[in-house]
């Protein structure tokens, strides 16, 4: 009846325990327990005619949780056996033992195996195997209930025992794993971060300027365009020296040539029709060379500059006036190049 009562109490405790607060990870624990031991030792040798029956008592244990699955413990139980046969009454006994416990992953249940020494009239050794259950009220306090079968090693006794205890855990804990349902796969959302009309998944050029037209990969479109700069330098009568007032215009041509490294320039020198034609031819060449020197002074390589003199062959104004002659005394050039420019978004 005593064993049945304890078994019912153990079952009630398990049924009432919804879930552990925390399953422990590692550390030391200490506990006390109530103990029931069902024995049928008939005709004990050291007390002829005496049978040793059930025991109730209390005990204490100290254990260590090594990891998520294994722990070990030492226990002591103070036992009070009932006697029958030639003698009646009871007798005290002591039980010392060691157990290894295997904790099932993230479960309050565990299995155990161990060795026990029970001293009643004689010192008897038992091997035991059993199962138990733990319930944590918080990170430190827990109760346990377990049952085990004891098999005598030096005598052929087969006994049953049960324990109900309360314990304090000194170690660390980990939250019980909760299995969350897998989230439903989300549908990809088409996004165009730089608002260029090409979705991010296909966009190879992020953050293109809003002013740029783009191709199918989201990259800025470019086109080749012709660009040019003109130069006109005028000279006084019978002179080939470049006046200061034209230095800025020549510097502008030099900057264009530096920006467009493949471009070259042909400087065309001219003269008015006043005087000898052969002299005017030489004078026009000198004027072209004077402008070329100024370009070289501005950093343009000589091999990018060509000069030619036309003398009075290409008059801008054929009139025989002072104004017409001033227009004809000149060096002029047009430099053209192509450059890669962005296409503007419409």
């Amino acid at each position: 009846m005593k064993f049945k009562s304890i078994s019912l109490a153990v079952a009630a405790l398990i049924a009432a325990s919804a879930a552990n607060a925390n399953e422990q990870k590692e550390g030391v624990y200490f506990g006390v327990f109530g103990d029931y031991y069902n024995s049928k030792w008939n005709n004990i040798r050291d007390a002829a005619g005496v049978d040793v029956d059930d025991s109730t008592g209390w005990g204490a244990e100290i254990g260590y949780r090594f990891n998520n699955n294994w722990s070990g413990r030492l226990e002591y139980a103070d036992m009070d056996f009932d006697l029958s046969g030639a003698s009646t009454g009871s007798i005290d006994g002591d039980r010392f033992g060691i157990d290894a416990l295997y904790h099932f992953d993230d479960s309050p249940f565990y299995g155990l195996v161990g060795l026990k020494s029970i001293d009643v009239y004689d010192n008897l050794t038992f091997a035991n195997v059993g199962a138990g259950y733990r319930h944590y009220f918080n990170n430190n306090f827990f109760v346990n209930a377990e049952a085990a079968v004891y098999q005598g090693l030096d005598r052929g006794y087969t006994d049953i025992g049960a324990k109900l205890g309360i314990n304090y855990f000194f170690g660390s804990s980990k939250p019980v794993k909760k299995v969350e349902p897998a989230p439903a796969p989300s549908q990809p959302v088409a996004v165009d971060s730089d608002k260029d009309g090409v979705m991010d998944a296909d966009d190879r050029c992020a953050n293109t300027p809003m002013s740029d037209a783009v191709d199918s990969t989201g990259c800025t479109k470019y086109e080749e365009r012709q660009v040019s700069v003109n130069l006109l330098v005028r000279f006084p009568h019978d002179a080939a020296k470049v006046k200061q007032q034209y230095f800025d215009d020549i510097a502008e041509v030099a900057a264009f040539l530096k920006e467009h490294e493949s471009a070259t320039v042909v400087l065309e020198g001219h003269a008015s029709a006043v005087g000898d034609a052969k002299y005017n031819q030489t004078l026009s060449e000198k004027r072209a060379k004077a402008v070329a020197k100024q370009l070289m002074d501005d950093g343009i390589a000589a091999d990018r500059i060509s000069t030619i003199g036309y003398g009075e062959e290409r008059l801008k104004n054929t009139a025989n006036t002072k104004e017409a002659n001033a227009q004809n005394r000149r060096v002029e050039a047009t430099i053209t190049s192509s450059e890669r420019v962005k296409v503007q978004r419409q």
Side-chain angles (χ1 to χ4, degrees):
M1 287 300 292
K2 293 178 181 178
F3 178 72
K4 182 177 180 181
S5 299
I6 292 181
S7 298
L8 290 174
V10 170
L13 175 63
I14 294 174
S17 301
N20 277 352
N22 285 284
E23 180 60 32
Q24 301 305 314
K25 192 171 184 181
E26 61 181 31
V28 176
Y29 67 90
F30 175 80
V32 294
F33 57 84
D35 183 74
Y36 171 76
Y37 191 90
N38 178 253
S39 63
K40 294 296 181 186
W41 305 349
N42 298 323
N43 201 20
I44 296 298
R45 288 181 300 179
D46 294 339
V50 176
D51 298 334
V52 178
D53 298 324
D54 300 349
S55 164
T56 56
W58 64 273
E61 63 185 36
I62 185 168
Y64 186 83
R65 185 75 174 260
F66 297 102
N67 53 43
N68 192 49
N69 294 112
W70 288 100
S71 63
R73 73 183 179 194
L74 299 172
E75 73 158 23
Y76 166 77
D78 180 69
M79 309 176 79
D80 184 15
F81 287 94
D82 292 334
L83 301 176
S84 62
S87 175
T88 60
S90 63
I91 187 172
D92 290 336
D94 297 308
R95 184 175 77 235
F96 298 91
I98 184 170
D99 291 299
L101 285 70
Y102 180 81
H103 304 268
F104 301 99
D105 287 340
D106 300 314
S107 169
F109 295 95
Y110 59 91
L112 63 96
V113 62
L115 285 174
K116 301 291 186 296
S117 173
I118 301 178
D119 187 10
V120 180
Y121 286 114
D122 195 2
N123 196 311
L124 304 176
T125 304
F126 291 82
N128 63 285
V129 62
Y133 175 91
R134 286 181 174 181
H135 175 77
Y136 285 87
F137 294 109
N138 54 41
N139 290 344
N140 299 103
F141 281 102
F142 68 89
V143 294
N144 70 309
E146 64 185 51
V149 176
Y150 293 77
Q151 180 60 49
L153 300 183
D154 40 12
R155 298 189 188 180
Y157 299 140
T158 301
D159 301 335
I160 298 173
K163 294 166 58 175
L164 185 62
I166 185 166
N167 305 262
Y168 184 84
F169 191 85
F170 296 93
S172 60
S173 65
K174 66 173 184 177
V176 175
K177 291 181 181 177
K178 295 181 180 180
V179 179
E180 300 290 346
S186 58
Q187 296 297 323
V189 178
V191 177
D192 178 15
S193 300
D194 56 5
K195 304 294 188 295
D196 61 359
V198 179
M199 297 300 104
D200 287 359
D202 302 316
D203 199 336
R204 297 181 185 174
C205 301
N207 302 318
T208 49
M210 293 293 292
S211 58
D212 292 1
V214 298
D215 58 20
S216 59
T217 65
C219 296
T220 298
K221 284 184 178 180
Y222 290 87
E223 65 180 6
E224 296 294 325
R225 291 183 185 173
Q226 292 295 111
V227 290
S228 63
V229 63
N230 297 316
L231 177 64
L232 176 61
V233 180
R234 297 190 186 277
F235 293 85
H237 176 67
D238 197 20
K241 183 179 180 180
V242 180
K243 287 188 173 183
Q244 180 78 32
Q245 69 186 79
Y246 295 108
F247 283 2
D248 288 344
D249 294 340
I250 295 172
E252 184 179 343
V253 172
F256 182 90
L257 290 168
K258 290 175 183 177
E259 183 178 355
H260 302 84
E261 296 180 353
S262 62
T264 59
V265 58
V266 178
L267 299 170
E268 299 176 350
H270 301 272
S272 66
V274 177
D276 180 68
K278 186 176 180 181
Y279 179 83
N280 289 336
Q281 174 66 36
T282 301
L283 183 59
S284 67
E285 292 173 0
K286 288 181 178 179
R287 287 170 175 168
K289 287 181 172 25
V291 176
K293 181 179 182 304
Q294 187 62 42
L295 278 174
M296 287 186 285
D297 289 345
D298 284 341
I300 305 303
D303 59 1
R304 298 179 64 190
I305 306 169
S306 300
T307 61
I308 187 170
Y310 287 104
E312 55 187 67
E313 294 176 8
R314 297 185 180 184
L315 299 177
K316 256 186 163 353
N317 191 332
T318 58
N320 189 17
T321 64
K322 184 178 180 180
E323 291 77 9
N325 291 335
Q327 292 176 22
N328 292 328
R329 297 189 298 267
R330 70 195 190 278
V331 169
E332 58 187 2
T334 298
I335 305 97
T336 302
S337 182
S338 63
E339 63 182 12
R340 191 166 176 257
V341 296
K342 292 181 178 182
V343 178
Q344 297 299 302
R345 191 178 302 185
Q346 302 298 322

